[in-house]
Amino acid sequence: MTDLLTVSLEAVFDSIPVGLGVVDASSRIVLMNAAFRDSLGLPHDAFPAGTPVEEAVRASALRGVYGPGDPDAQVAAVMAADRTRPGRLRRRTFAGRSFDLYNTPLPGGSYVVSAVETTPLLAARAEAEAALTQTSSALANVRIGLAVFDPQRQLLLANPRFAALLALPPDRLVPGGGFDAMLTLMESREEYASPDSASFIASLRTAAFGPPWTMRRVRTDGRSIDVMIDPLPDGGCTIAITDITPQARAEDEARRRARLLDMVLLNIPHGICVYGPDHCVTMVNDTYNKVMHGAPVSIGESLTTIIRRRAEAGEYGDGDSAAVMAIQTALAFNHGHMRRRTRPNGITIDIRTAPLPDGGHMSVVTDVSALVHAEADSRRHATAMTTMLDNIQHGIILFNADRRLVASNPVAAELLDLPVSALAPGQPHAQVIDALRRFGHFGSSADSEQGAREFMKLDRSKPFGEEITSPSGRLLFGQSNPTPSGGWISTFTDITHIRQAETELRRAKERAEAANQAKSRFLATMSHELRTPLNAIIGFSDALARESGTVPASLVKEFSSQINDSGKQLLSLINLILDVARIDSSRFESDAEIVDMGRTIESAVRQIEATARSAGVTIKRSLQADLPRLRGNGRRLAEVLSQLLSNAVKFTAPGGSVTVEAARARPESTEENGLFVAISDTGIGISEADLERVFEPFTQLDDSLSRQHAGTGLGLFTARAIVAAHGGHLSLTSHPGKGTIARIVLPNGRIVKEAGL
């Protein structure tokens, strides 16, 4: 029975998961369970009962159980331990595992040694220490100042940024310090000597740790900080301090720009009314209601209500008000458009609408009554001038810079005894001289060729005149005068009857002077009507730059300079708008002349080559030989080419290239029936969504505050209008980063049919 009990106790002892070893009073092993042997990495039968403890310790030391060192010294240290008192003997590591050994004395001098594995505990502690190190490092380097206070308002921790943002010595903020002590320290600092600082500290002192609390402060160095107190579940709190200087300055700048915009809107000589996405008025300046006197609008009114009221009042003309209202409300406001109408009170207004990013739109009205009257006067004077040139008794021939005949009046052919076909527009100067030679203007056949060659060598950049005798015997006075464009104008006067010629010359001079005075009056009126209000804006900005106030003088000067620049830009913009208005309403001749497209393209390329070279951009040509001549407005077509080439060079980085192509469309082609010109570049490109938007007036794709490329946003709009007036089409294809291709297609009907073709 005793043996059975003993076996059962040994089995129980051996199954305990904690290592246990029993040693008697003579320091011999009485019992050692499997878990203890496992902690030593020993087999089950190692160190049987009766084995001296010193022998077992020595064997363990030799196996490296106690780590590196002298085994004899390790044995001596273990055996010297006092076994009569409980305690932890040592912590040891063996085969990657850690154990703590505990000594428990028993009656009679024996004792029990237990081995408890601490491997997971030590690993967890190492991980926690690493995490704490990382957290401490993060708190030390985070850009936000952070402090934690306990429920008794005592400081638990604070990172260096917290003290720096409060302008406090970091060594004065130590754990255990009180919140009120920190505030007292702040009161002693120079940073908090101002009255608003005292208010800031008082607010902190009375702030409760319960609800969240936020306050903003501007430091003496100009930086802005936000102080935020958030409660903790235990009754303490965290205080976070953030340097929000960039955001605060951006807010100030936004407010300044808003005030600037309000000032511009108040003084701009155009009526502006802004509608929100719900088509209700959100903003209207005083000028709008002045221009629309008798039909005012107010904030909050809907567009439908305004149109109904104006239709019933006859603002849009005679007719059924319901029908008129239907027409007006059907206008689309998702894209810009312009129209002109005369109000019931007799003034003429231009109305421009443009969509806004929020889904609303803006309406701009301008009183153009003076301009309309001036344009009518100008047209009357132009008609009178044309009539005068057709009927004047002087022959006039105009040549351009390419030495080609641009225009002539019938009198020139009559006085020179030439057929009208000999002075057809587009002919080279040499061909005109040859016609004069063939009709006897340079004497006999023996010396006529020499006389023609000498006449070709004359310097046309300087004025000169001489008397000549026509083959029919008329005495003519011929005069050549250079034109600003590089060409010249030749005039011929029949002075056979000198008195009659002198009288006619005086009359012509008087009529020319009258026309010039009328032109000067027209320009003076334009200058007064358009420049005077703009000069008021510029004058106001100059005065503002000299004012002083609470705002720093440097900022005041900056505002005034911006207003000044805006006024000057607006002045230039209005001049360009007038030109756009003429093009958009087709008030220019699109069949004015025969245009040599090859020469026109070459001239445009030559004009841009210097700019391209300075920008590091290569210009390439691929022009079909013998490009056909077109009937059109050469100057306007040259403007289109110059605009497209300028854009291509401007938006191409150094090292890139611009290629100009031109060719007659293939006979079997239907899409390109006529002449096409393509200008391609390797520049920044345009996204597909913006390909049509760039043709809208006043459109710029780079809306950032630091735009790299200047411009009014009217170039492509004007170019497309000119091409459309010639019956053609201008389109763009592009991929961002890969360049853009501008393609002009002019219809076959514009091509001049050459003889034999």
Side-chain angles (χ1 to χ4, degrees):
M1 184 67 177
T2 302
D3 292 339
L4 180 61
L5 181 60
T6 302
V7 171
S8 298
L9 288 174
E10 289 179 353
V12 171
F13 188 76
D14 208 39
S15 65
I16 295 175
V18 177
L20 295 175
V22 180
V23 181
D24 61 14
S26 60
S27 295
R28 290 181 177 274
I29 296 174
V30 176
L31 190 63
M32 182 180 292
N33 69 353
F36 200 96
R37 292 188 183 90
D38 180 62
S39 70
L40 298 173
L42 296 173
H44 180 70
D45 56 353
F47 303 143
T51 301
V53 170
E54 184 174 357
E55 180 182 334
V57 170
R58 186 175 303 281
S60 298
L62 292 173
R63 294 181 71 252
V65 168
Y66 300 109
D70 181 15
D72 291 336
Q74 292 174 342
V75 171
V78 172
M79 296 305 297
D82 185 2
R83 306 294 184 176
T84 63
R85 285 189 280 182
R88 187 173 63 179
L89 299 179
R90 68 177 57 188
R91 182 177 64 203
R92 60 189 175 86
T93 302
F94 179 61
R97 301 168 67 187
S98 299
F99 295 87
D100 278 355
L101 304 180
Y102 294 89
N103 179 71
T104 303
L106 297 175
S110 60
Y111 60 90
V112 176
V113 178
S114 58
V116 179
E117 184 169 3
T118 60
T119 304
L121 178 62
L122 293 178
R125 184 171 67 183
E127 183 178 351
E129 289 174 349
L132 180 60
T133 300
Q134 292 177 351
T135 302
S136 299
S137 176
L139 286 175
N141 293 280
V142 72
R143 300 294 297 172
I144 297 175
L146 184 65
V148 180
F149 289 85
D150 63 15
Q152 287 72 43
R153 301 168 73 93
Q154 302 296 313
L155 180 66
L156 296 178
L157 63 90
N159 66 348
R161 185 70 172 167
F162 182 83
L165 289 177
L166 286 178
L168 297 177
D171 58 342
R172 299 290 297 275
L173 294 181
V174 296
F179 181 72
D180 291 335
M182 181 188 73
L183 298 181
T184 301
L185 175 62
M186 291 168 61
E187 290 174 334
S188 67
R189 305 287 295 177
E190 183 68 24
E191 170 71 21
Y192 300 96
S194 62
D196 60 332
S197 297
S199 175
F200 172 71
I201 295 175
S203 298
L204 285 173
R205 195 179 298 277
T206 58
F209 279 9
W213 182 89
T214 302
M215 189 172 185
R216 179 167 297 182
R217 164 175 167 75
V218 179
R219 293 177 34 148
T220 55
D221 59 4
R223 289 191 294 169
S224 298
I225 59 173
D226 270 357
V227 181
M228 293 166 283
I229 299 179
D230 291 299
L232 294 174
D234 64 356
C237 74
T238 61
I239 300 179
I241 303 177
T242 307
D243 186 346
I244 51 107
T245 303
Q247 299 93 312
R249 289 176 179 171
E251 291 174 2
D252 290 342
E253 180 65 19
R255 285 191 291 269
R256 286 193 293 269
R257 289 183 177 275
R259 288 195 296 269
L260 174 62
L261 178 59
D262 290 341
M263 198 172 303
V264 170
L265 290 176
L266 286 173
N267 293 278
I268 195 171
H270 300 273
I272 297 177
C273 184
V274 178
Y275 294 86
D278 58 355
H279 299 299
C280 290
V281 178
T282 60
M283 191 280 291
V284 60
N285 66 351
D286 293 340
T287 306
Y288 184 91
N289 284 328
K290 290 178 182 177
V291 174
M292 298 301 296
H293 179 70
V297 300
S298 56
I299 301 297
E301 278 193 297
S302 70
L303 180 61
T304 303
T305 301
I306 295 170
I307 291 175
R308 179 183 295 109
R309 184 172 67 242
R310 291 179 175 177
E312 292 173 350
E315 182 69 29
Y316 306 110
D318 298 332
D320 180 65
S321 60
V324 172
M325 181 178 175
I327 294 174
Q328 295 297 321
T329 54
L331 293 174
F333 295 100
N334 57 353
H335 60 83
H337 59 84
M338 185 184 76
R339 61 190 187 278
R340 177 174 292 181
R341 66 181 175 86
T342 301
R343 299 193 58 217
N345 59 6
I347 70 168
T348 303
I349 58 174
D350 271 355
I351 306 155
R352 300 175 184 85
T353 60
L356 297 176
D358 64 354
H361 72 279
M362 177 175 62
S363 177
V364 180
V365 296
T366 307
D367 184 351
V368 294
S369 302
L371 174 63
V372 170
H373 296 323
E375 288 176 346
D377 290 342
S378 179
R379 284 193 294 271
R380 286 193 295 270
H381 288 300
T383 301
M385 184 66 72
T386 301
T387 303
M388 179 187 68
L389 290 176
D390 287 343
N391 294 276
I392 195 172
Q393 296 304 308
H394 299 272
I396 299 176
I397 304 176
L398 176 64
F399 290 90
N400 62 17
D402 296 328
R403 303 181 71 86
R404 284 187 174 272
L405 193 151
V406 176
S408 66
N409 65 349
V411 178
E414 179 186 352
L415 293 178
L416 294 172
D417 298 324
L418 294 175
V420 176
S421 59
L423 297 180
Q427 296 187 81
H429 181 234
Q431 187 172 331
V432 175
I433 297 302
D434 185 63
L436 291 171
R437 184 189 62 79
R438 288 186 286 106
F439 282 90
H441 277 271
F442 298 102
S444 63
S445 58
D447 57 4
S448 62
E449 292 187 2
Q450 179 64 27
R453 283 195 295 270
E454 293 296 329
F455 194 75
M456 284 287 294
K457 295 178 182 179
L458 292 175
D459 185 1
R460 299 292 180 168
S461 65
K462 298 178 181 178
F464 65 88
E466 63 178 351
E467 292 185 2
I468 59 176
T469 302
S470 71
S472 63
R474 290 175 177 170
L475 183 62
L476 305 177
F477 180 75
Q479 189 172 6
S480 174
N481 290 284
T483 60
S485 62
W488 73 91
I489 184 170
S490 296
T491 60
F492 303 92
T493 306
D494 185 351
I495 59 173
T496 304
H497 305 287
I498 188 65
R499 293 187 183 277
Q500 181 181 355
E502 289 177 349
T503 302
E504 189 64 24
L505 183 60
R506 281 196 302 272
R507 292 175 181 173
K509 181 181 178 182
E510 290 171 357
R511 288 196 292 268
E513 289 176 349
N516 188 52
Q517 290 174 358
K519 177 182 177 182
S520 298
R521 287 196 298 271
F522 164 69
L523 293 176
T525 301
M526 289 293 295
S527 175
H528 176 76
E529 292 296 327
L530 294 178
R531 296 178 185 270
T532 299
L534 292 172
N535 286 335
I537 295 177
I538 297 171
F540 177 76
S541 66
D542 290 337
L544 180 59
R546 296 190 295 269
E547 292 292 333
S548 61
T550 57
V551 180
S554 60
L555 294 182
V556 173
K557 185 169 294 184
E558 177 186 349
F559 296 163
S560 63
S561 297
Q562 291 177 355
I563 296 173
N564 194 294
D565 291 343
S566 298
K568 292 176 181 177
Q569 289 177 357
L570 184 58
L571 181 59
S572 175
L573 177 62
I574 291 176
N575 290 333
L576 184 55
I577 288 174
L578 295 177
D579 194 30
V580 171
R582 285 192 291 271
I583 294 173
D584 196 40
S585 58
S586 301
R587 292 194 300 273
F588 73 95
E589 294 289 340
S590 62
D591 296 321
E593 55 189 303
I594 302 300
V595 182
D596 186 330
M597 284 303 293
R599 287 181 176 272
T600 302
I601 294 172
E602 284 290 349
S603 177
V605 172
R606 285 197 299 271
Q607 291 176 8
I608 199 66
E609 279 180 329
T611 302
R613 282 195 299 271
S614 65
V617 177
T618 303
I619 304 291
K620 302 178 181 179
R621 300 172 175 84
S622 179
L623 307 179
Q624 178 181 308
D626 299 326
L627 286 174
R629 294 187 298 161
L630 304 177
R631 184 172 298 280
N633 191 315
R635 184 174 69 85
R636 293 297 190 180
L637 290 175
E639 287 179 10
V640 173
L641 294 171
S642 296
Q643 176 64 41
L644 296 179
L645 284 167
S646 175
N647 278 356
V649 171
K650 179 166 61 174
F651 293 104
T652 299
S657 64
V658 174
T659 302
V660 183
E661 301 176 71
R664 178 74 180 269
R666 297 184 299 274
E668 65 273 14
S669 172
T670 57
E671 180 183 0
E672 301 168 354
N673 185 19
L675 176 73
F676 74 88
V677 181
I679 299 174
S680 57
D681 62 63
T682 60
I684 60 177
I686 306 170
S687 66
E688 183 177 356
D690 292 326
L691 283 177
E692 281 303 314
R693 195 164 69 85
V694 297
F695 287 107
E696 297 177 5
F698 308 105
T699 296
Q700 284 283 350
L701 297 185
D702 182 9
D703 287 329
S704 66
L705 294 175
S706 56
R707 288 220 326 250
Q708 298 179 358
H709 307 293
T712 62
L714 288 171
L716 287 176
F717 170 75
T718 306
R720 173 172 275 187
I722 292 173
V723 173
H726 284 78
H729 180 64
L730 169 60
S731 62
L732 297 179
T733 56
S734 182
H735 297 283
K738 296 183 179 180
T740 302
I741 301 175
R743 192 176 186 85
I744 301 171
V745 179
L746 295 171
N748 190 50
R750 286 277 169 180
I751 295 178
V752 177
K753 305 297 182 182
E754 303 288 353
L757 297 181

